């Protein structure tokens, strides 16, 4: 029997990989909920719709915006009776007309979101029983490349087989939110740094990804972002970690000697952001914090003298600009302006004097990284007394002036609750009047937490969250590297 197990396993794997039986997720539309017995019922209609949608299994459903595009309609209702509530859902299969009812009950407001999670698992169980359409044929490489212009082609990773222009790590345990690049050593291995809430890791990327060092901060602190630079031009890179600790900034700077992190400065009162793709010429900018939740004062260039740091020359950002949402722009006239992702996700171009020149009609960016403080001002629009401030995604510029901006998307994005589950990269060209799209990557699953560009190799490094943490399970993150030709 033991001899038969490897043979049976091989046959099963061959059967699965051969593509004899494949299936695609059901095209699914979730209707806004019908809400009765609860205050603010109009807003809760979309709230419950968003929460449930985010908890459905993406391997089983493919979300569509309109009901007439769907194979499956999910029609939900929420009814509150005193402290008790009931969540009821009707699953309507438009292909065969079948109707399935699913419900979940609970008590108290604190149980509403967990109950929606339990309801989603029940829906998943019902979806397993439903027939799904066969997987459509994979498009040819030639047709796939028609989506982007020939000047730049980003080839995303393919799990089925390796490509010389793409690479993806095995899933890393934990949720990581920031990535930075380092040096390339004599053996050709490249330094990569990633940060989670309280840890920073150093990896060497050669043919494999090898963990070489890790450092942590006190439990009361939270790492918001990391960047690397060589501000004093001594040939040794520094790692700048933006850290917030009990509503105050307590940032740190490390040196990495190839085997360990050495802290050279701590308790610095600034947010940090690196501007420039080349780590040698990159500048680090700094900004202060006010009342635990507001960016304060001007953004200034950070200066380093030995281990002493000071904030130097300020830059005059537009009113909507802050340390995390801008980049400098060399326009068609040769004069510097700014490209900014505002708090709502719109891209805007500003002249040096701060006047707005152009603004996008679509939203980009999208981040789950935030810091918060106790503020009664936040309770005006939400029941949460904490005031949350979300960071924005990086805006990168290639050497030829091409502007790179990511877009995260997800069904759950309201108030202080954000959960993104798919992403893409967009490239734009500024012609002096408008931003014109040059190309974009295909939409890929997973939340893009952060990314970096390597101008030497012409690669983009993506840090993605591919599995969100659950009640009994931790999350998973992945680093992928893709060539920009």
């Amino acid at each position: 029997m033991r001899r038969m197990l490897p043979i049976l396993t091989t046959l099963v794997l061959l059967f699965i990989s051969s593509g004899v039986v494949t299936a695609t997720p059901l095209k699914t539309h979730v209707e806004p909920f019908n809400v009765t017995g609860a205050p603010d019922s109009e807003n809760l209609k979309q709230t419950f719709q968003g929460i449930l949608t985010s908890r459905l299994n993406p391997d089983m459903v493919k979300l569509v915006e309109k009901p007439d595009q769907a194979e499956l309609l999910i029609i939900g209702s929420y009814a509150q009776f005193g402290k008790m509530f009931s969540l009821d859902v009707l699953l309507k299969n438009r292909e065969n007309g079948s109707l399935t009812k699913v419900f979940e009950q609970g008590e108290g407001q604190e149980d509403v979101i967990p109950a929606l999670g339990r309801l989603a698992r029940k829906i998943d169980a019902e979806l397993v029983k439903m027939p799904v359409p066969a997987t459509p044929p994979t498009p040819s490489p030639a047709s796939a490349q028609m989506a982007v212009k020939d000047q730049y082609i980003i080839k995303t990773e393919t799990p089925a087989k390796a490509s010389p222009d793409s690479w993806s790590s095995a899933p890393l345990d934990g949720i990581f939110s920031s990535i930075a690049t380092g040096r390339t050593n004599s053996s050709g291995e490249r330094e990569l740094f990633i940060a989670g809430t309280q840890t920073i890791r150093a990896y060497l990327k050669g043919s494999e990804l090898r963990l070489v060092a890790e450092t942590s901060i006190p439990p009361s602190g939270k790492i918001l972002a990391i960047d690397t630079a060589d501000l004093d031009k001594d040939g040794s890179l520094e790692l700048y970690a933006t850290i917030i600790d009990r509503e105050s900034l307590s940032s740190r700077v490390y040196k990495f000697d190839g085997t360990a992190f050495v802290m050279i400065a701590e308790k610095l009162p600034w947010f940090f952001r690196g501007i420039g793709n080349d780590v040698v010429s990159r500048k680090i900018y700094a900004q202060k914090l006010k009342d635990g939740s507001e960016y304060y004062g001007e953004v200034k260039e950070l200066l380093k003298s030995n281990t002493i740091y000071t904030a130097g020359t300020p830059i005059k950002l537009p009113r909507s600009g802050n340390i995390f949402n801008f980049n400098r722009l060399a326009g068609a006239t040769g004069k510097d302006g700014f490209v900014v992702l505002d708090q709502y996700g719109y891209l805007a171009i500003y002249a040096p004097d701060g006047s707005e020149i152009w603004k996008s009609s679509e939203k980009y960016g999208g981040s789950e990284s935030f810091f918060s403080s106790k503020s009664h001002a936040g309770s005006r629009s939400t029941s949460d007394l904490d005031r949350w401030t979300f960071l924005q995604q990086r805006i990168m510029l290639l050497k030829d002036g091409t502007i790179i901006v990511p877009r995260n998307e997800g069904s759950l994005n309201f108030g202080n609750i954000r959960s993104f589950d798919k992403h893409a990269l967009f490239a734009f060209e500024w012609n002096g009047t408008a931003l014109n799209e040059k190309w974009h990557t295909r939409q890929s699953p997973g939340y893009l937490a952060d990314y970096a560009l390597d101008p030497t190799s012409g690669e983009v490094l993506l840090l993605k969250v591919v599995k969100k943490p659950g009640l009994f399970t931790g999350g998973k993150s992945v680093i992928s590297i893709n060539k920009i030709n």
Side-chain angles (χ1 to χ4, degrees):
M1 184 63 183
R2 291 183 179 178
R3 295 180 180 177
M4 289 295 294
L5 285 175
I7 299 174
L8 290 173
T9 302
T10 303
L11 289 174
V12 171
L13 291 174
L14 286 173
F15 181 75
I16 293 172
S17 62
S18 65
V20 174
V21 179
T22 58
T24 56
L26 281 171
K27 295 179 181 178
T28 302
H29 175 77
V30 181
E31 295 278 357
F33 272 54
N34 180 36
V35 179
T36 57
D40 199 18
S41 59
E42 286 301 314
N43 288 332
L44 286 176
K45 292 179 180 180
Q46 281 73 36
T47 298
F48 290 135
Q49 175 195 32
I51 294 176
L52 178 63
T53 303
S54 71
R55 282 153 173 75
L56 297 176
N57 189 339
D59 295 329
M60 304 177 72
V61 299
K62 178 182 180 182
L63 299 176
V64 294
E65 293 185 3
K66 300 178 180 179
D68 57 9
Q69 300 171 333
E71 297 160 331
L72 176 70
L73 290 178
I74 299 181
I75 305 166
S77 67
Y78 172 89
Q80 184 174 319
F81 311 94
K83 292 184 178 181
M84 298 295 297
F85 64 83
S86 178
L87 290 159
D88 297 83
V89 160
L90 178 67
L91 307 178
K92 184 176 181 180
N93 191 318
R94 299 184 66 195
E95 297 296 306
N96 57 25
S98 67
L99 299 175
T100 305
K101 294 182 179 180
V102 182
F103 74 92
E104 183 65 39
Q105 294 178 335
E107 181 179 356
Q109 293 184 358
E110 66 277 3
D111 192 40
V112 173
I113 292 180
L116 283 163
R118 299 193 298 269
L119 182 66
R121 300 292 72 79
K122 289 184 177 181
I123 294 173
D124 292 344
E126 294 297 329
L127 294 181
V128 172
K129 307 173 186 178
M130 295 183 181
V132 292
T135 304
T138 303
S140 66
S143 63
Q145 290 185 5
M146 292 177 66
V148 296
K149 295 185 178 181
D150 289 337
Q151 185 175 1
Y152 287 92
I153 299 175
I154 293 188
K155 302 174 182 177
T156 56
E157 72 277 6
T158 54
K161 63 179 182 178
S163 165
D165 293 329
S166 65
W167 172 88
S168 184
S169 73
L172 307 173
D173 289 334
I175 302 298
F176 295 91
S177 58
S178 191
I179 188 170
T181 58
R183 303 159 295 189
T184 299
N185 62 26
S186 57
S187 64
E189 293 180 304
R190 175 169 47 192
E191 294 172 343
L192 298 180
F193 305 97
I194 61 173
T197 302
Q198 293 178 322
T199 61
I200 303 173
R201 291 182 181 179
Y203 288 91
L204 284 178
K205 168 61 178 74
S207 58
E208 302 291 338
L209 189 67
R210 182 161 53 93
L211 177 64
V212 293
E214 182 171 319
T215 189
S216 61
I217 65 171
S220 58
K222 178 180 181 179
I223 301 170
L224 297 178
I226 58 172
D227 281 283
T228 51
D230 182 9
L231 294 191
D232 54 9
K233 311 303 179 188
D234 64 352
S236 178
L237 296 184
E238 309 96 35
L239 187 144
Y240 294 84
T242 297
I243 300 170
I244 195 161
D245 191 339
R246 288 165 290 196
E247 302 189 15
S248 297
L249 284 169
S250 184
S251 298
R252 295 182 174 187
V253 183
Y254 297 90
K255 287 281 190 180
F256 179 66
D257 63 7
T259 59
F261 290 99
V262 179
M263 186 170 62
I264 60 173
E266 62 177 331
K267 299 180 180 179
L268 298 177
W270 300 294
F271 299 103
F272 296 134
R273 181 61 111 192
I275 299 291
N277 299 328
D278 186 344
V279 293
V280 177
S281 60
R282 178 178 299 150
K283 294 181 179 180
I284 299 292
Y285 290 94
Q287 190 174 21
K288 290 190 174 183
L289 174 70
K290 178 182 179 182
D291 297 332
S293 64
E294 295 183 14
Y295 300 110
Y296 177 69
E298 295 176 299
V299 173
K300 299 181 179 181
E301 183 178 345
L302 191 69
L303 304 177
K304 180 179 185 292
S305 177
N306 295 319
T307 58
I308 304 300
Y309 287 91
T310 56
T313 306
I315 57 175
K316 187 67 175 178
L317 285 179
R319 180 174 297 180
S320 61
N322 62 62
I323 186 72
F324 291 117
N325 73 349
F326 83 98
N327 203 328
R328 290 182 176 273
L329 176 72
T333 61
K335 295 181 179 180
D336 286 339
F338 299 98
V339 54
V340 173
L341 262 174
D342 68 19
Q343 62 175 322
Y344 304 106
Y346 293 103
L347 268 175
I349 301 295
Y350 292 89
D353 63 2
S355 60
E356 183 181 298
I357 303 174
W358 178 90
K359 193 170 188 176
S360 68
S361 58
E362 296 186 37
K363 293 183 179 182
Y364 299 90
S367 172
E368 295 179 13
S369 296
F370 70 94
F371 55 96
S372 64
S373 69
K374 297 293 180 183
S375 171
H376 290 285
S379 63
R380 297 174 183 173
S381 57
T382 71
S383 60
D384 194 342
L385 294 181
D386 287 0
R387 177 171 179 175
W388 292 30
T389 302
F390 285 89
L391 278 60
Q392 192 48 282
Q393 290 284 345
R394 298 180 193 267
I395 305 171
M396 298 283 201
L397 270 69
L398 300 181
K399 291 181 179 180
D400 66 353
T402 299
I403 299 169
I404 307 294
V405 183
R407 175 192 283 167
N408 277 307
E409 294 187 62
S411 57
L412 187 59
N413 184 6
F414 59 91
N416 293 340
I417 303 176
R418 294 187 178 187
S419 181
F420 300 104
D421 53 23
K422 47 186 176 290
H423 67 275
L425 286 179
F426 290 77
F428 296 94
E429 182 179 43
W430 173 244
N431 63 11
T433 304
L435 279 182
N436 294 323
E437 184 181 322
K438 298 178 67 174
W439 51 257
H440 66 269
T441 65
R442 65 178 176 85
Q443 195 173 71
S444 301
Y447 161 56
L448 179 62
D450 196 12
Y451 73 109
L453 294 176
D454 189 329
T456 303
S457 63
E459 293 172 323
V460 59
L461 295 84
L462 308 178
L463 177 62
K464 300 178 289 186
V465 176
V466 295
K467 181 181 179 181
K468 300 293 179 68
L471 185 61
F472 301 107
T473 59
K476 299 283 186 181
S477 302
V478 163
I479 301 171
S480 67
I481 301 175
N482 301 281
K483 188 76 171 180
I484 303 180
N485 294 327

